[in-house]
Amino acid sequence: MIDTAMLMAAGLGKRMRPLTATRPKPLVKVAGKALMDHVLDRLEAGGIRKVVVNVHYLADTVEAHLRARKGEMAFAISDERAKLLETGGGLIQAKPLLGDNPIICANSDNLWIDGPQETMGMMRRLWDPERMDALLLLVPLARAYCHKGPGDFHMDANGRLTRRKSAHVAPFVYTGVQIISPAVLRDPPSDVFSTNIFWNRAIEAGRLYGVSHQGLWFDVGTPQAIPVVESILTHG
């Protein structure tokens, strides 16, 4: 049973300025709720009971928000106040808090709505540690609301992933949600690095997999995205 998650909440939120001048990006409100609460609500509904949260920018306000949150989940803080470690470095530092089982890892700046299946349950059912180092939740590029990129991955009929080639478009976008094996969290190239290192190793071993999200997903990266997201959530 996967019941632990890592919530990435340490970023500077530069693209969300000026809203992040006085608050961290995870606490920017969308549809009346902080971005991180949208994610935490989905994790809690999906059976996650412990969440490790990394903090850096305006860390005290994130910690205070977590202390005030009601619900069943317990929180542990991975403190990056001294140095921002990026996603890969953040996972390595948090590893002692995450335990020895596979975990959900989620960014705090995206928002998703479940489709016909509850997302966490769907990912758990598909997770196969014998074949996979990581299982990424993807969304078709055509349904990646407010996302400006050319896509991230190609996915074959078995769910195995390969990267988009330079100057090409790929049909799937990474949503910021994944299941990752603790065995992957090893041999960091430095203290500051991206999760891409882990994915590259998994691709080389044929062990990076994906699943297509059937619900809604929004890239809430800029202030301009917020009214778009709120309009779609309200009016469809």
Side-chain angles (χ1 to χ4, degrees):
M1 177 67 172
I2 299 173
D3 62 2
T4 299
M6 174 89 182
L7 183 68
M8 296 293 183
L12 297 174
K14 292 180 179 179
R15 290 194 305 134
M16 191 61 88
R17 290 175 179 169
L19 298 182
T20 50
T22 56
R23 74 184 73 183
K25 187 177 180 181
L27 297 186
V28 170
K29 287 192 173 181
V30 178
K33 185 189 298 185
L35 271 171
M36 71 185 306
D37 282 330
H38 284 283
V39 181
L40 290 171
D41 286 350
R42 293 293 169 198
L43 294 175
E44 187 168 23
I48 296 298
R49 291 296 172 260
K50 177 183 177 181
V51 182
V52 177
V53 183
N54 66 340
V55 295
H56 173 76
Y57 177 62
L58 299 176
D60 290 351
T61 59
V62 175
E63 292 193 56
H65 185 84
L66 292 172
R67 286 194 297 270
R69 181 181 164 89
K70 296 177 173 28
E72 300 294 324
M73 291 191 296
F75 296 101
I77 299 298
S78 182
D79 194 332
E80 296 182 23
R81 283 176 173 85
K83 188 175 186 179
L84 187 59
L85 300 175
E86 295 191 23
T87 51
L91 276 165
I92 290 290
Q93 174 167 291
K95 188 175 180 180
L97 300 171
L98 294 170
D100 298 323
N101 296 317
I103 62 159
I104 299 282
C105 183
N107 295 344
S108 60
D109 61 353
N110 65 78
L111 191 156
W112 79 89
I113 304 297
D114 287 339
Q117 302 182 65
E118 187 270 320
T119 304
M120 296 293 99
M122 175 185 67
M123 293 185 72
R124 281 197 195 92
R125 287 190 295 274
L126 290 172
W127 173 251
D128 180 358
E130 297 300 317
R131 293 186 299 129
M132 301 174 182
D133 284 337
L135 175 65
L136 278 53
L137 184 69
L138 308 175
V139 67
L141 178 60
R143 292 196 290 106
Y145 291 104
C146 304
H147 185 76
K148 304 299 184 183
D152 301 310
F153 293 102
H154 297 270
M155 182 164 55
D156 71 16
N158 296 313
R160 190 177 283 113
L161 300 183
T162 53
R163 287 193 182 276
R164 175 183 62 84
K165 294 180 180 179
S166 178
H168 288 70
V169 172
F172 290 100
V173 172
Y174 174 54
T175 65
V177 182
Q178 63 178 319
I179 295 177
I180 191 164
S181 167
V184 172
L185 308 182
R186 57 176 174 78
D187 303 326
S190 64
D191 56 347
V192 180
F193 69 99
S194 167
T195 313
N196 280 307
I197 293 291
F198 301 141
W199 293 346
N200 290 344
R201 294 172 182 169
I203 288 172
E204 289 174 6
R207 294 179 59 85
L208 187 70
Y209 283 76
V211 56
S212 180
H213 180 52
Q214 299 303 309
L216 299 178
W217 178 79
F218 305 92
D219 182 352
V220 194
T222 64
Q224 293 74 30
I226 294 175
V228 177
V229 173
E230 292 177 335
S231 177
I232 293 172
L233 290 177
T234 303
H235 305 295

